[in-house]
């Protein structure tokens, strides 16, 4: 006989549900107040701790590079004889879908256009210098730094779960430094923060994503840009990811991730061919060089003596670093779950390099295709709403209607994959780290995410919830620092124990040969 739900779930399930319910109630009753309060907290952290975000994210990058080149890189995220559970293409597809897929579709045109035409980091808008900066900073925001945040969380969780047999919980990774306290109130608080960030992150994505799909339908088919359309979209996505969640990790998410990858490659390849191909590749090559040359400076750049540049950094770079940190519990836990059996070196190179290069190519292709339309006067892409910029660009090239439909399908499958992945992660975190959480728990979280998105989209409280998510990044960044130290402490112990065991084994074998 199976255990009842109340015996399977951890107390953090009920605590987090209560916190989310309180936040949603606040957003329903006084959405403007929620937005104002959370915005003030977010702005305070960005203004007073922008320096901290830049330093801590740079340290995560250096930590990952150190682990790649150190002797620890050959150790596995699992037992020495464990093999990867998923093929390399499927693994990359899962990384891409869970990590940033929907963000690339949403911002692939809008962000380069914004940096080039509306608000350049340092150069005069609309100039060749602004064009170079637009892609250089997009690479910076969506590249190695972002993935180093995810990789730090994922590597630590995977190591403790698959190498040391610890529960798949954020709190469990801190046992080497917290001891038994990791199982007490402190550990529960850490897990609540991780679950809250995941629920809020996916709920806001569902809400804003529904708005983007609605914006695309409005642009293409003149569908009303109204709440009831967005509610239908959320409803359809919910049904689809519930079906996917029911089929399990090795079926639903795996097949959807591969579908995402195929659709994304089709759309990317087509736009690269029909767009200004030579210009795309020239600018891509040039801006990659600029990014590599300036990445060190950008990593620590705050421009405190230039108000305009300082504000831009707070609005973009600091915002992104907080956003990725806030998303890292969800994405990190999911990446950890699908990375068993890979060496640390293979894992880090795969997580840092491949998704970053895909992102760079994506932004160069879609960004330059849109910028080319602006430069030639063929279309005013900058004048479109953010959620319509991609569709406005696609419609100016051959087979625009077909590629726009593919883009809508891609957005939809990315949403389903993200929500499905999140229900798995939430189920895992609220059932004491179970690798196969009960379907009832996953369904409960799925309904909670969708209901949160729908309710706050209707009342206008979604932006306030997003601000709360970004604010949650501040305490979780400190947890990440503890996770990195705990991981280093654990892997150092295991590495030296392994070397000692290998040395003893070699000595025994040598003695046996000598004796014979």
């Amino acid at each position: 006989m199976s255990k009842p739900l109340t015996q399977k779930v951890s107390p953090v399930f009920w605590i987090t549900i209560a916190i989310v319910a309180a936040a949603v109630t606040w957003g329903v009753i006084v959405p403007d107040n929620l937005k104002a309060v959370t915005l003030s907290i977010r702005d305070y952290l960005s203004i007073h701790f922008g320096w901290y975000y830049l330093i801590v994210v740079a340290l995560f990058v250096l930590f990952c590079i150190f682990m790649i080149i150190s002797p620890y890189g050959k150790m596995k995220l699992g037992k020495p004889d464990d093999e990867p559970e998923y093929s390399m293409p499927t693994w990359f597809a899962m990384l891409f879908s869970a990590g940033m897929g929907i963000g690339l579709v949403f911002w692939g045109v809008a962000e380069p256009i914004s940096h080039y035409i509306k608000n350049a980091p340092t150069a005069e808008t609309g100039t060749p210098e602004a064009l170079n900066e637009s892609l250089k900073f997009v690479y910076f925001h969506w590249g190695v730094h972002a993935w180093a945040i995810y990789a730090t969380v994922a590597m630590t969780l995977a190591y403790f779960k698959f190498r040391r047999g610890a529960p798949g919980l954020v709190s469990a990774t801190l046992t080497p430094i917290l001891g038994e306290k990791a199982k007490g109130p402190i550990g529960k608080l850490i897990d609540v923060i991780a679950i809250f960030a995941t629920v809020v992150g996916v709920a806001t994505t569902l809400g804003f994503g529904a708005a983007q799909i609605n914006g695309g339908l409005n642009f293409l088919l003149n569908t009303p840009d109204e709440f009831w359309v967005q509610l239908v979209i959320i409803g359809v996505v919910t049904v689809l990811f519930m079906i996917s969640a029911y089929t399990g990790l090795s079926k639903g998410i795996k097949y959807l991730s591969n579908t995402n990858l195929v659709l994304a490659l089709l759309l990317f390849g087509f736009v690269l061919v029909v767009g200004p191909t030579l210009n795309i590749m020239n600018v891509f090559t040039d801006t990659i060089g600029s990014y590599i040359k300036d990445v060190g400076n950008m990593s620590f750049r705050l421009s405190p003596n230039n108000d305009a540049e300082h504000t831009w950094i707070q609005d973009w770079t600091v915002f992104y670093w907080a956003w990725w940190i806030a998303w890292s519990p969800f994405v990190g836990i999911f990446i950890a779950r699908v990375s068993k059996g890979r060496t640390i070196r293979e894992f880090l190179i795969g997580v840092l390099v491949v998704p970053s290069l895909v992102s760079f190519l994506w932004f160069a292709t879609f960004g330059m295709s849109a910028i080319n339309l602006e430069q030639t006067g063929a279309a005013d892409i900058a004048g479109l709403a953010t959620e319509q910029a991609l569709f406005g660009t696609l419609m100016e090239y051959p087979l625009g209607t077909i590629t726009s439909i593919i883009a809508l399908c891609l957005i939809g499958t990315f949403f389903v994959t993200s929500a499905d992945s999140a229900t798995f992660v939430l189920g895992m975190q609220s059932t004491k780290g179970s690798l196969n959480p009960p379907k009832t728990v996953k369904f409960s979280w799925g309904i909670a995410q969708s209901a949160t998105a729908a309710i706050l989209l209707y009342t206008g409280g979604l932006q306030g919830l997003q601000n709360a998510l970004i604010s949650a990044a501040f305490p979780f960044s400190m947890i990440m620092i503890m996770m990195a130290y705990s991981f280093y402490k654990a892997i150092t112990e295991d590495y030296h124990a392994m070397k000692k065991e290998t040395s003893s084994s070699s000595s025994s074998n040598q003695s046996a040969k000598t004796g014979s």
Side-chain angles (χ1 to χ4, degrees), residues 1-9 438 440-441:
M1 180 180 292
S2 62
K3 296 180 181 179
L5 179 63
T6 52
Q7 292 182 19
K8 291 179 180 178
V9 300
T440 12
V441 176

Side-chain angles (χ1 to χ4, degrees), residues 102 143 257 315 370 498:
I102 189 60
S257 296
D315 291 344
M498 184 179 70

Side-chain angles (χ1 to χ4, degrees), residues 101-405:
I102 189 60
L104 296 185
V105 180
F106 191 87
W107 289 107
V109 168
E111 187 169 340
I113 279 286
S114 176
H115 297 341
Y116 173 59
I117 299 259
K118 298 179 181 178
N119 186 13
T122 63
E124 183 181 347
T125 56
T127 62
E129 292 77 17
L131 191 155
N132 181 280
E133 279 193 349
S134 71
L135 288 176
K136 181 177 71 174
F137 275 92
V138 166
Y139 299 161
F140 179 53
H141 293 152
W142 293 79
V144 172
H145 286 67
W147 284 97
I149 293 169
Y150 291 161
T152 300
V153 174
M155 176 173 61
T156 304
L157 282 158
Y159 188 83
F160 277 91
K161 177 61 184 176
F162 300 123
R163 182 89 182 195
R164 289 198 158 195
L169 301 170
V170 173
S171 58
T173 66
L174 302 180
T175 301
I177 56 178
L178 292 181
E180 289 300 309
K181 291 181 180 179
K183 299 178 182 178
I186 294 176
K188 297 290 188 296
L189 175 62
I190 289 168
D191 291 332
V192 165
I193 292 172
I195 295 175
F196 176 79
T198 301
V199 175
V200 175
V202 176
T204 52
T205 298
L206 280 171
F208 292 129
Q212 187 189 20
I213 294 176
N214 192 182
L217 292 172
N218 175 261
F219 186 85
L220 297 171
L221 306 173
N222 204 29
T223 304
D225 191 3
E226 296 178 3
F227 169 73
W228 70 266
V229 178
Q230 296 164 12
L231 184 62
V232 170
I233 293 168
I234 290 175
V236 171
V237 169
T238 301
V239 171
L240 291 175
F241 80 68
M242 291 291 222
I243 293 171
S244 179
Y246 183 81
T247 62
L249 187 67
S250 295
K251 292 183 180 179
I253 297 178
K254 176 182 175 181
Y255 295 147
L256 277 172
S257 296
N258 287 329
T259 301
N260 290 342
L261 189 60
V262 170
L263 287 175
L265 287 174
L266 284 173
L267 188 62
F268 165 79
F270 182 81
V271 174
L272 179 62
V273 171
V274 302
T277 309
L278 181 60
N279 196 21
I280 289 171
M281 297 312 300
N282 284 339
V283 172
F284 169 73
T285 304
D286 184 62
T287 51
I288 281 290
S290 297
Y291 165 72
I292 294 172
K293 178 174 70 74
D294 297 333
V295 66
N297 179 55
M298 290 189 292
S299 298
F300 299 98
R301 175 176 167 268
L302 268 176
S303 296
N305 299 317
N306 186 315
D307 290 342
E309 290 183 17
H310 186 65
T311 300
W312 191 95
I313 292 167
Q314 288 176 347
D315 291 344
W316 286 97
T317 304
V318 174
F319 171 86
Y320 265 126
W321 285 185
W323 181 254
W324 301 140
I325 290 170
W327 267 81
S328 65
F330 157 44
V331 180
I333 291 167
F334 180 76
I335 292 175
R337 175 62 184 86
V338 300
S339 299
K340 179 182 179 181
R342 302 195 181 276
T343 66
I344 289 171
R345 185 170 292 120
E346 175 191 17
F347 169 83
L348 287 174
I349 292 174
V351 172
L352 294 183
V353 176
V354 177
S356 295
L357 284 176
V358 170
S359 300
F360 298 166
L361 282 165
W362 184 278
F363 276 107
T365 299
F366 286 87
M368 281 310 303
S369 295
I371 289 171
N372 181 67
L373 296 174
E374 290 280 355
Q375 290 175 328
T376 59
D380 178 20
I381 304 300
L384 295 174
T386 300
E387 61 269 17
Q388 294 182 337
L390 171 64
F391 303 104
T393 300
L394 293 176
M395 290 300 291
E396 295 297 326
Y397 289 98
L399 304 179
T401 301
I402 294 175
T403 54
S404 294
I405 291 171

